[in-house]
Amino acid sequence: MARRPLPRILSKDSAQIARTQLARSRELARTAADSATDVLHPLITVSRGLRRLAAAGRRRWADTPKDKRGPLLFLLASLFLVVALVPYGPLLAVVSVMAAAAWHGRDRTPPAPEGPDEAQTERLQALYEALVPYFAGPDDPAPLYAHGGEWEKAFTAHEFEDGGRVGHLVIRYPAYFPDGDPEARARVEQLLTVKAGRGREYHFAWDEEGNQLTVAVLAPLPSDLAAQPFVTGPGETVLGFTDPSEVQRTLPLSYGEEQVDIPPVVWRTGIRSTEPHLLAMGHPGSGISTLLRSIALQALRHGDVLIVDGGGTGEYACLTGRDGVLAVECALPGALASLEWAAQETERRLISINLARQAGDPPPEDTRRPLWILVDRPSVFAHLAMTDGRRDPQTLLQVPLRHGRAANVTVVVAEQFDSAEALGDAVRQHTRARVVLGTAAPRQVETVLGVPPHTTQPAHVPPGRGFARLGTGPVHRLQVPRTPDPYDDATSDTDRQAVLDLLPPRGTALEPAPAPTEALPTDLTKPPADTAPLPAEAVAAEG
């Protein structure tokens, strides 16, 4: 049977034509409305004036005492009689009323100033003078930046906020400025941050081809969004929320009693993920534990979670004994046993998946359920292991990190900046998704993310605020959803109940299988196609 062609309305060209026609129709309607407004403007003005005159007459009549309303009516009647008897009186009266209505109906809104006022001009001139040492060249015959020069040539667009500070600025700079040098760009960005106004977040967009720098003030990210079920699919984890201009997706969230759409930073894991593992860095109190709790609550919807807490502060005690939580280890022996089991489980999954593929079968059911390994502060266990003469637990993460994507195993490691040197090479190489939370120096952020962010940090950084970068993608501003420890006394009742509602019910936690004393060799050969598997009774009889 011949394949029927798709209808024309479903083709790409037809859709493009339809969008073009729709845009053209909107433009025609807008033009017609503007033309009608211009034609009817005198009538609109006269009608507005008549309404204002009538309202003034009613107010005058209401303000007139009752004992004087009779003489006033007699005076008005005499006036109308005189107008009626005078030649061309009615015509002159109508013309006079129309002229008065046109005068009173005029637009009295003061025109907006075309340029900046005196204070704004001084601020722009100060910015221009501050940029002269960075953008001026000694051999430039016609310098764009010079002391005492005109800022109008350098600043092509500018906007101010209500407080008089710069809100948006487009800066031209000479072509010989090394805009490809990160240090040169960082110096200019730091200067603009100081001169344009402290305490705000700025976004810097460098246009190397057009030799323009766009500076925009960013609105603060909402820091009071509580933990809640997110509308995501399997393999998708919401790390936090970012600016609407950075992502093309929004999530419906409950914000108090309202329903709002917030753009998220979605991290995709699984077999087809290019960033299967994550590394989070920050200072104490920056919200690293909050991020791991948020990830654990989302991972428990579709998989199993193993938590290794090197801090030992009980930040994850609320997850102990919950369905899907394999273990929450806070001591070195338990951490070593759990991570050794995780490495063996990763190998077991790889072998099972490989045998199923050789036999032409789908992966087994016990390998499809995702396994999450959350490790908080592994440097603490590394120090304890070195003291006791044991192996570093990070060495047990090499197998899940290297082969976790194929085995549906995801590793999340969180560490503080003061112990960053203790991270192993496997953690640094295989964690392509990166998060930096809290107040951090630009050099520290660049070291973790690989590139410097195009935005600045606010003066006061709330917990869970930072930057995120997935693989080689752009750097996003990030605000982690508020997911505090429900067992903490400082947690409010609203946040505590929000986290407790997301916790799975308590059940019998699965204990990690102990490491075998002697590993048996695994047969990776595929059985012959014509050989049927032996029944269980025969296998038992042979044993």
Side-chain angles (χ1 to χ4, degrees):
M1 179 182 294
R3 182 178 298 177
R4 297 179 58 186
L6 290 175
R8 205 179 146 76
I9 190 63
L10 298 180
S11 63
K12 182 178 179 182
D13 296 338
S14 299
Q16 182 67 25
I17 294 174
R19 287 193 295 267
T20 304
Q21 292 178 351
L22 181 60
R24 187 179 303 171
S25 301
R26 291 177 178 175
E27 185 65 25
L28 290 176
R30 191 180 299 110
T31 303
D34 295 341
S35 301
T37 302
D38 294 339
V39 172
L40 299 177
H41 182 70
L43 182 59
I44 295 173
T45 303
V46 172
S47 301
R48 189 189 305 120
L50 290 175
R51 289 197 304 269
R52 290 177 181 177
L53 289 175
R58 287 194 300 268
R59 288 195 302 269
R60 182 63 183 273
W61 177 260
D63 295 341
T64 302
K66 293 183 179 181
D67 55 345
K68 295 183 179 181
R69 291 182 179 180
L72 181 60
L73 287 175
F74 179 77
L75 179 62
L76 291 176
S78 302
L79 182 61
F80 281 121
L81 181 61
V82 171
V83 170
L85 296 177
V86 172
Y88 304 103
L91 180 59
L92 293 176
V94 172
V95 172
S96 301
V97 171
M98 292 296 104
W103 175 258
H104 287 280
R106 70 188 188 280
D107 190 7
R108 302 178 183 180
T109 305
E114 297 182 358
D117 55 18
E118 183 178 356
Q120 296 173 354
T121 302
E122 293 180 358
R123 183 178 290 272
L124 292 176
Q125 186 65 32
L127 278 174
Y128 175 82
E129 294 289 343
L131 291 173
V132 169
Y134 298 90
F135 290 150
D139 300 332
D140 192 349
L144 182 61
Y145 288 84
H147 292 289
E150 299 178 357
W151 60 267
E152 291 86 353
K153 298 180 180 180
F155 303 156
T156 58
H158 54 81
E159 295 179 4
F160 287 87
E161 296 180 345
D162 296 337
R165 297 194 296 180
V166 177
H168 180 80
L169 189 63
V170 179
I171 303 173
R172 292 177 55 202
Y173 58 86
Y176 52 77
F177 175 75
D179 50 9
D181 185 6
E183 296 183 357
R185 294 167 59 161
R187 288 193 295 266
V188 174
E189 293 175 359
Q190 183 180 7
L191 172 68
L192 292 173
T193 302
V194 175
K195 292 296 183 180
R198 297 178 181 270
R200 299 184 297 174
E201 295 182 78
Y202 294 92
H203 180 268
F204 300 97
W206 291 84
D207 183 9
E208 292 85 354
E209 296 181 356
N211 298 324
Q212 285 188 350
L213 169 61
T214 303
V215 184
V217 178
L218 298 174
L221 296 176
S223 60
D224 52 352
L225 285 171
Q228 53 192 286
F230 301 122
V231 184
T232 56
E236 293 183 345
T237 304
V238 177
L239 299 179
F241 311 103
T242 185
D243 300 305
S245 59
E246 297 295 330
V247 295
Q248 300 179 357
R249 177 179 177 180
T250 58
L251 291 180
L253 301 177
S254 298
Y255 188 63
E257 298 180 354
E258 300 179 357
Q259 194 81 7
V260 296
D261 293 335
I262 303 296
V265 178
V266 179
W267 173 39
R268 293 174 175 83
T269 58
I271 298 177
R272 293 176 176 83
S273 173
T274 56
E275 303 87 20
H277 309 296
L278 182 138
L279 173 63
M281 300 290 295
H283 291 288
S286 59
I288 294 294
S289 300
T290 299
L291 175 62
L292 262 64
R293 271 192 300 269
S294 177
I295 293 176
L297 292 177
Q298 298 179 62
L300 288 173
R301 297 170 57 184
H302 306 286
D304 299 325
V305 176
L306 173 63
I307 301 176
V308 177
D309 183 12
T313 56
E315 294 284 346
Y316 312 98
C318 61
L319 298 171
T320 304
R322 302 285 179 175
D323 289 343
V325 180
L326 304 181
V328 179
E329 300 293 346
C330 301
L332 179 60
L336 290 174
S338 298
L339 293 179
E340 186 174 359
W341 172 85
Q344 295 178 358
E345 173 66 12
T346 304
E347 295 176 350
R348 185 196 68 80
R349 291 190 175 203
L350 286 175
I351 295 173
S352 300
I353 293 174
N354 186 24
L355 292 177
R357 289 176 178 174
Q358 292 183 16
D361 298 330
E365 291 293 336
D366 57 351
T367 62
R368 295 182 181 180
R369 185 171 176 84
L371 173 61
W372 291 72
I373 305 173
L374 308 183
V375 183
D376 190 1
R377 299 199 65 187
S379 61
V380 177
F381 286 133
H383 176 72
L384 295 177
M386 183 180 62
T387 304
D388 295 344
R390 301 185 180 185
R391 61 186 306 183
D392 188 354
Q394 294 188 71
T395 59
L396 299 173
L397 291 175
Q398 294 182 4
V399 175
L401 286 172
R402 292 178 179 176
H403 309 287
R405 180 174 62 178
N408 210 2
V409 177
T410 303
V411 180
V412 179
V413 180
E415 190 53 83
Q416 296 182 3
F417 278 111
D418 54 0
S419 303
E421 296 81 4
L423 290 176
D425 295 336
V427 175
R428 297 175 184 270
Q429 294 175 4
H430 297 283
T431 52
R432 292 175 48 83
R434 300 292 180 90
V435 173
V436 177
L437 297 181
T439 303
R443 184 61 60 87
Q444 291 178 326
V445 177
E446 183 179 359
T447 301
V448 177
L449 302 182
V451 294
H454 296 291
T455 59
T456 59
Q457 287 188 341
H460 174 69
V461 180
R465 177 70 172 82
F467 301 97
R469 189 188 184 203
L470 304 178
T472 58
V475 179
H476 300 289
R477 288 200 307 167
L478 181 70
Q479 177 62 54
V480 179
R482 197 168 54 190
T483 316
D485 182 10
Y487 296 163
D488 190 359
D489 296 337
T491 304
S492 63
D493 296 337
T494 303
D495 294 341
R496 179 181 294 107
Q497 190 60 40
V499 176
L500 292 177
D501 292 342
L502 296 178
L503 289 173
R506 290 189 179 276
T508 304
L510 299 178
E511 294 295 337
T517 55
E518 183 178 357
L520 298 177
T522 305
D523 187 9
L524 299 180
T525 59
K526 181 172 61 175
D530 56 350
T531 302
L534 295 177
E537 294 80 359
V539 175
E542 291 179 2

